[in-house]
Amino acid sequence: MINKHIVTARRPTTADYAESGMSQTITRVEPELAENIALPADVAAGVGGHGGVGVAAAQGDRIGPYRIVGRLGAGGMGQVLLGRAEDGTLAAVKTIRPELLDNPDVGNRFRREIEALRTVESPWVARLLGGSADAEVPWLASEFVAGPTLDRAVAGCGPLPVAVVAGIGVRLAAALSDVHGKGLLHRDLKPGNVLLSATGPKLIDFGIARAADEETAVSGGTMLGSLGYMAPEQVLDAGHAVSASDVFSLGAVLVYAATGRGPFGEAEPAVLLHRTARAETELGAVPVELHGIVAACLLREPADRPTPAELAQALQCPDPATGWPAEITRMIAESSASAQAAALAPPPRPTNAAASTGAGRPARRRSPLVIAAASAFVLAAAGTAAVLHFGVGSGSPADGQPTPSVAATKAPPAAATLTGVTEQGGPGHNAVFTTAQTRPPSGFHPWAAYLADQPTGCSLGAGTLVCRLVDGSLQALDTATGHERWRVDLPKDPGAPDQPTTNNGLRLIPEDGDDPAINGNRVASRDADGALRVQDLTGGRVLSTTPFGKDVGLATEPLADGDRLLLSLCHRGEEIGCEFTLDASTFDGGQPTWSRPLGRNGPTTVKLHLRYGPVAGDGHTVYAATSDGLASFDEDTGAPIATMPGACGPLAVTGTTVLCRTADGGLVTAGARDFAGSKDISGDNQRLHDQKTVITATDGTVITAQNASDGSMSAIDAATGAQRWRLAVDKPRGGDSTVYPTTARPILLGTKAVTMTDARLLIVPANPEGAAPAPTTVDLAKPAGSPGPHATLSSFAEYGHPRVLALDGILIAVGADGAVHAVEAPQ
């Protein structure tokens, strides 16, 4: 995506663009961490840093008439919170970062935004509910809009149908007519500032709106707008914009909606500036029905472009759209339901706001509410509601903010969609997968494809599967089609000359269970240097890279618990091995907010294989492996809570209890957080005492287990440890001496247990007493074509097991050889 860059440059002249080479100084601030705001250089330089993000309010606080029930997003100027009034009205409450309160430019911009919104009345512009620029905590409230931003919708659904694009254009043109009629210009119309609600599109974010006859004084030639959607006159004269500039931006937005790309393609900022100044657009992919009118909007001379009224007339279709595509409708419904759930959740328990972190900074109060906005860092304005053909009824959803999908404190089903899943399920690692959305997106068809190499771990987000491969690369597939979205290769580690490599010579990461962390449309992983890398999930664009200093790096992939990233950092010293710490960060990038020691491995060979770090989380508590055993820590402050001696492999968190498979063959249940009431329920179940038995899931009633010795899957009573049934799945490869299974760790999907071999899926009800019923099987024929430069499985047997994941009605089966199958999840 190219639509959210802040561009700071000397003001270019026409002569600059007439030359073939551009000699500009361009400073880019990571687009997902900042707004398009003209700030003094010393302020703008800190926008992208994690430490620079202040928190003015958290869940339970009051701002104006609203009780804060969640956090929607953050940007360079502040954050947007989900608020609830006494009468139940939901609002998007925008505030300013505390460290910017004394900046007059920021305060004046905020005041202008409130004043602009008070004057505009339009069914397609978000309506202001209230606000005060002079309050102790300046705030602006708008009705909450349930639905995705246009960029998120296109990322999830692909280019939109012509009739839908035309309908969006008609209504946004009407919005511009209403805005211009009040003597204002929007000046930042882009896909991220268009919300798709149940009643139609809504134009938001008037942060840089100005009067049409007002020139903008900008220091240092700072350009106000979004690169890729700005008009040529905005680029050539940083302080100049006219009503036709908004029309140009709307034309660019329609190109994006119809093709999935902006009109200037994807390139470095200097190239985009050059193309924009000359209006050198790429419209070959625009459908013929839209080509002429879009091209007219994108003409270089403002006087040659149509007016908003002319544009609306030209876009009127003989067969106008009567609704959104099914996937957008699903996003809207999920967003609305989860926001209501958040509003009804009880206030959080009191927190000690003065608690200090490991670095001596005030602890950042974190809402246990997990909110993944469709465009997580858009700061929205507000608007009126109106009934359109897009809606499913006459009611208006709450309005005014990027689409949130909100998970309540007790992790309702929507949380899996937000945070992403691995073969262990969500962050609680209980291998229980949500069935809230049981049908796949519209247009889904089963498919099969090969990964580029053998996987060591996979994670599944909304619409995208991301796998770490044995060669060290990350590969992402579209879950609707199986097509590759992107791939990031890691170079061979020059410091390890004897390090084994695969056929393509890339660096091998010899670590099973390398599951990248996913939240919303972001994926976090460790890069070749041990830094934390955050990427756009659907496009693969790197959003931030956070190194941790000399001789410090990520020991394992991060664990996502909502927006929080829980890290295992290896601190290397003179002795062989690592001093491990548990650190808390976020998908925003930046240095950790707190850190706690976990212990040291090495220096003996026996201990060097040990890794200490986070293994599960539940929104309040993080559970980590330490040198003293399993420990629990408060997620907000990092404060130690309790320790259970001995290692757990693995651990499952199921609300009020934790389930620990111990190294000596026991199966221990204990109270969550404090490990109270610990007891071993393994009893005389010999398979539980078999070290090759892996406990993978519990729903509070049933535990599923997989035994590598005989290839069986069984269901165990969670209260007593008694076996309910046992199912022979597959013989282990090489007989009893092989510790690596050929069957997947079973998962619980609703009331069904699901496992797989490399050749078939097996689905069986989890709860029946007595003998296991005959499983339903789904054959997994190998995909056509070559699997690519795979490493020999015998060389990397520890990775040679299949994996099953499920999300949004799709079941993903990943074979040990990299074959991937996608089928509709069982009902």
Side-chain angles (χ1 to χ4, degrees):
M1 290 290 295
I2 56 164
N3 60 321
K4 298 177 184 175
H5 293 297
I6 297 178
V7 182
T8 304
R10 66 173 176 82
R11 182 174 298 178
T13 65
T14 305
D16 289 328
Y17 293 103
E19 299 175 1
S20 58
M22 296 184 64
S23 57
Q24 290 185 289
T25 302
I26 297 177
T27 300
R28 286 179 54 188
V29 179
E30 284 298 337
E32 304 295 8
L33 297 179
E35 286 190 284
N36 299 324
I37 177 174
L39 296 178
D42 58 335
V43 177
V47 167
H50 174 79
V53 177
V55 174
Q59 187 182 6
D61 289 351
R62 284 198 169 273
I63 295 181
Y66 300 100
R67 177 174 66 85
I68 301 306
V69 297
R71 181 176 179 270
L72 296 172
M77 197 171 84
Q79 61 179 344
V80 179
L81 306 160
L82 182 63
R84 182 181 185 274
E86 291 298 330
D87 62 0
T89 300
L90 293 179
V93 182
K94 180 175 179 177
T95 64
I96 297 177
R97 283 168 46 186
E99 61 267 38
L100 297 180
L101 290 176
D102 294 330
N103 186 289
D105 290 339
V106 174
N108 290 337
R109 173 184 169 176
F110 200 74
R111 182 173 288 101
R112 283 194 304 268
E113 183 173 1
I114 295 174
E115 293 171 353
L117 284 170
R118 280 181 175 146
T119 67
V120 176
E121 295 182 4
S122 173
W124 319 121
V125 175
R127 177 172 59 91
L128 182 72
L129 295 179
S132 172
D134 300 315
E136 182 178 356
V137 177
W139 62 278
L140 180 160
S142 63
E143 292 176 280
F144 170 75
V145 171
T149 50
L150 179 59
D151 53 357
R152 177 62 182 271
V154 172
C157 305
L160 302 179
V162 168
V164 173
V165 176
I168 292 173
V170 168
R171 289 154 180 86
L172 291 181
L176 290 184
S177 291
D178 294 330
V179 171
H180 296 169
K182 295 296 183 180
L184 296 172
L185 304 178
H186 188 279
R187 303 201 309 172
D188 195 22
L189 180 50
K190 60 185 178 183
N193 280 344
V194 177
L195 281 166
L196 307 185
S197 76
T199 56
K202 300 281 186 178
L203 180 59
I204 63 172
D205 200 348
F206 280 65
I208 60 174
R210 292 286 180 117
D213 59 355
E214 181 181 358
E215 289 287 332
T216 305
V218 289
S219 61
T222 301
M223 298 175 192
L224 294 175
S226 294
L227 188 55
Y229 296 91
M230 299 165 65
E233 58 272 17
Q234 291 175 280
V235 171
L236 291 170
D237 187 344
H240 181 67
V242 294
S243 60
S245 305
D246 283 344
V247 173
F248 186 98
S249 298
L250 176 52
V253 166
L254 296 181
V255 171
Y256 176 81
T259 67
R261 292 167 58 91
F264 300 108
E266 298 181 4
E268 290 300 309
V271 177
L272 291 176
L273 285 169
H274 182 85
R275 293 174 183 173
T276 302
R278 292 173 171 268
E280 295 176 348
T281 55
E282 300 174 0
L283 304 181
V286 176
V288 63
E289 299 93 331
L290 299 170
H291 193 282
I293 185 61
V294 166
C297 294
L298 298 175
L299 291 172
R300 179 171 180 174
E301 295 300 325
D304 294 336
R305 300 169 201 153
T307 66
E310 292 169 339
L311 175 59
Q313 181 64 33
L315 286 170
Q316 291 290 346
C317 296
D319 181 24
T322 57
W324 297 118
E327 177 63 13
I328 295 179
T329 300
R330 184 191 70 80
M331 290 180 181
I332 293 170
E334 180 185 76
S335 186
S336 178
S338 54
Q340 292 295 334
L344 296 175
R349 57 183 173 80
T351 59
N352 180 7
S356 61
T357 67
R361 298 184 297 270
R364 184 171 75 92
R365 289 188 295 172
R366 172 184 178 271
S367 166
L369 202 65
V370 181
I371 302 177
S375 178
F377 300 96
V378 175
L379 294 184
T384 57
V387 181
L388 328 181
H389 295 292
F390 285 99
V392 293
S394 60
S396 167
D399 205 26
Q401 181 52 36
T403 180
S405 289
V406 186
T409 305
K410 292 300 183 181
T417 303
L418 298 172
T419 304
V421 295
T422 70
E423 63 182 301
Q424 296 290 351
H429 275 203
N430 56 14
V432 176
F433 289 75
T434 178
T435 56
Q437 169 64 28
T438 57
R439 294 291 182 184
S442 176
F444 170 79
H445 297 286
W447 54 263
Y450 273 113
L451 293 167
D453 216 319
Q454 183 183 349
T456 70
C458 293
S459 298
L460 182 60
T464 306
L465 173 73
V466 182
C467 293
R468 177 75 76 180
L469 310 182
V470 293
D471 62 7
S473 66
L474 286 180
Q475 185 178 16
L477 302 184
D478 186 323
T479 57
T481 64
H483 297 158
E484 180 179 284
R485 287 191 183 272
W486 51 269
R487 189 176 179 200
V488 177
D489 290 335
L490 299 181
K492 182 179 178 180
D493 186 352
D498 298 326
Q499 186 180 32
T501 60
T502 54
N503 293 343
N504 57 7
L506 297 178
R507 172 177 177 265
L508 174 72
I509 299 181
E511 187 77 38
D512 189 22
D514 276 341
D515 308 316
I518 295 176
N519 177 261
N521 197 40
R522 296 169 295 175
V523 56
S525 63
R526 55 176 175 165
D527 71 4
D529 298 318
L532 174 65
R533 176 179 56 198
V534 179
Q535 296 172 256
D536 176 79
L537 178 63
T538 54
R541 181 168 55 90
V542 176
L543 304 176
S544 65
T545 301
T546 304
F548 300 102
K550 187 177 184 298
D551 296 326
V552 182
L554 281 170
T556 62
E557 296 287 19
L559 172 68
D561 193 359
D563 185 55
R564 175 152 301 171
L565 285 173
L566 301 163
L567 314 176
S568 172
L569 292 185
C570 167
H571 303 254
R572 300 175 186 86
E574 296 181 358
E575 296 184 12
I576 298 175
C578 297
E579 289 283 355
F580 289 92
T581 60
L582 170 65
D583 294 66
S585 186
T586 71
F587 281 83
D588 294 355
Q591 295 299 316
T593 56
W594 55 257
S595 179
R596 290 291 179 266
L598 298 179
R600 181 179 183 82
N601 67 355
T604 66
T605 304
V606 174
K607 291 186 176 181
L608 279 176
H609 75 282
L610 298 175
R611 295 287 187 272
Y612 301 132
V615 292
D618 62 8
H620 306 283
T621 308
V622 54
Y623 302 88
T626 76
S627 57
D628 296 325
L630 177 69
S632 58
F633 300 85
D634 186 279
E635 276 199 27
D636 288 330
T637 66
I641 300 170
T643 300
M644 181 189 299
C648 279
L651 172 78
V653 182
T654 61
T656 60
T657 57
V658 296
L659 184 77
C660 173
R661 175 71 164 83
T662 61
D664 61 1
L667 178 59
V668 173
T669 62
R673 197 171 176 87
D674 60 3
F675 305 134
S678 174
K679 65 176 180 178
D680 191 330
I681 65 169
S682 54
D684 58 359
N685 188 330
Q686 293 304 310
R687 284 188 173 82
L688 287 184
H689 290 282
D690 187 337
Q691 292 289 340
K692 298 175 187 177
T693 297
V694 180
I695 304 299
T696 58
T698 174
D699 65 356
T701 304
V702 176
I703 302 163
T704 57
Q706 177 258 338
N707 185 277
S709 295
D710 58 12
S712 67
M713 179 174 68
S714 58
I716 301 161
D717 188 287
T720 65
Q723 180 173 293
R724 292 190 175 184
W725 52 259
R726 175 176 167 271
L727 175 68
V729 177
D730 199 11
K731 291 183 178 179
R733 181 179 59 254
D736 289 351
S737 62
T738 301
V739 297
Y740 306 119
T742 55
T743 53
R745 296 174 178 177
I747 67 171
L748 285 178
L749 185 59
T751 60
K752 296 179 172 63
V754 182
T755 188
M756 69 169 289
T757 70
D758 273 332
R760 59 184 176 141
L761 281 168
L762 295 96
I763 305 164
V764 61
N767 291 318
E769 301 287 348
T776 300
T777 61
V778 178
D779 290 334
L780 302 176
K782 290 301 180 184
S786 169
H790 282 324
T792 303
L793 286 180
S794 60
S795 301
F796 305 102
E798 61 267 41
Y799 306 142
H801 63 86
R803 297 166 169 86
V804 185
L805 308 88
L807 191 67
D808 284 349
I810 299 177
L811 190 67
I812 300 288
V814 183
D817 61 350
V820 183
H821 292 79
V823 300
E824 185 171 345
Q827 300 299 304

